[in-house]
Amino acid sequence: MNRKSGMTSIEITISLALILLFLSMIFPILRMTLKLEGSFLFQERIERNSSRLVEMLTKEIESSSFGEEEYRGREKLINGKGIYQLVGVKPSSLNESFFSDRREEGNMLFLEIPCVKNGKIYSKYYMYRFVGDTFLVSQCTNEFKNIYTNEEFILFDYVSGYFKQDKKGIKIVMKVKKEKNYIRELKDYALKGRKW
């Protein structure tokens, strides 16, 4: 009897059924693995960006002080720093009455940072603030002894927080959030200012 080599339709059907069964078990595991990888990558990015943000703010606060330029309300600041509670849209100018409302805790930090260029000392002015779920910065200008705020830029999304003045210096308390399953609170970063 001469038998031809090959597979019968029953063997092919059983093989396909086993392959489909195997794939139906593998795909959910693969999908879950990809979702977990995305979550871990997101958390790693948040950790890295929040650390950079705190490092940047630390440098800005440490280098803040009074320069040679005069502006109305500067005597209300401490070494070129002030914390304020700002509700609503940012003001177009920061006048003496604004600087008079300095607080121990608030959602906005104003900094004056002296710089040297071509042997001349001038100052840069920054306004950092938490609004809703964003962290914003505005560079300000000193014109006719008034501080004017320029365009705001988003530094960090999905974050809320506040600034607090304590005995150690200025502290930032920041809560990072994006998804319900990832909320991380960064606090007790004592950002000390320069002592004079």
Side-chain angles (χ1 to χ4, degrees):
M1 220 184 205
N2 188 10
R3 293 187 101 199
K4 294 182 180 177
S5 61
M7 295 180 72
T8 64
S9 60
I10 293 175
E11 292 172 325
I12 292 174
T13 306
I14 292 172
S15 299
L16 287 175
L18 288 173
I19 290 171
L20 288 174
L21 180 65
F22 178 72
L23 289 177
S24 67
M25 290 172 20
I26 290 295
F27 277 126
I29 295 170
L30 184 61
R31 191 178 320 122
M32 188 172 27
T33 304
L34 290 174
K35 189 175 181 180
L36 282 172
E37 181 186 17
S39 177
F40 286 133
L41 288 173
F42 169 76
Q43 289 180 18
E44 182 183 341
R45 190 174 70 246
I46 291 291
E47 298 280 340
R48 186 174 54 246
N49 290 344
S50 57
S51 296
R52 286 181 186 161
L53 176 65
V54 169
E55 187 178 314
M56 178 195 72
L57 273 172
T58 301
K59 287 179 183 175
E60 298 280 299
I61 291 171
E62 285 175 348
S63 60
S64 64
S65 180
F66 290 120
E68 294 180 352
E69 297 177 10
E70 293 290 327
Y71 52 92
R72 294 178 182 93
R74 76 180 294 206
E75 67 277 358
K76 308 292 184 184
L77 299 170
I78 300 174
N79 290 331
K81 305 171 205 44
I83 296 174
Y84 301 90
Q85 183 63 36
L86 189 60
V87 180
V89 297
K90 71 177 176 71
S92 58
S93 67
L94 308 178
N95 54 25
E96 194 169 351
S97 64
F98 175 85
F99 287 115
S100 298
D101 195 24
R102 192 172 54 79
R103 300 180 180 209
E104 296 290 318
E105 184 178 306
N107 68 339
M108 191 202 109
L109 174 67
F110 177 83
L111 298 176
E112 176 183 349
I113 302 172
C115 302
V116 178
K117 187 175 183 179
N118 299 330
K120 184 179 177 187
I121 298 175
Y122 69 100
S123 291
K124 290 182 179 179
Y125 308 94
Y126 294 102
M127 186 175 81
Y128 295 96
R129 69 183 187 125
F130 291 98
V131 179
D133 283 346
T134 55
F135 186 54
L136 306 166
V137 63
S138 296
Q139 188 168 357
C140 307
T141 55
N142 183 352
E143 298 174 24
F144 310 110
K145 295 190 177 182
N146 283 324
I147 300 293
Y148 292 92
T149 60
N150 296 331
E151 189 176 354
E152 281 188 317
F153 299 98
I154 295 174
L155 287 178
F156 212 72
D157 267 325
Y158 308 107
V159 65
S160 60
Y162 60 91
F163 301 97
K164 185 172 184 172
Q165 180 79 47
D166 61 15
K167 293 175 185 177
K168 295 179 182 178
I170 293 175
K171 187 192 308 183
I172 178 174
V173 178
M174 186 167 66
K175 186 179 280 188
V176 181
K177 53 190 173 184
K178 169 102 179 183
E179 300 169 353
K180 287 182 181 177
N181 61 351
Y182 186 73
I183 296 177
R184 177 170 183 250
E185 193 165 331
L186 302 168
K187 59 180 172 180
D188 296 332
Y189 285 104
L191 305 177
K192 296 183 181 181
R194 183 181 294 173
K195 293 182 180 178
W196 295 92

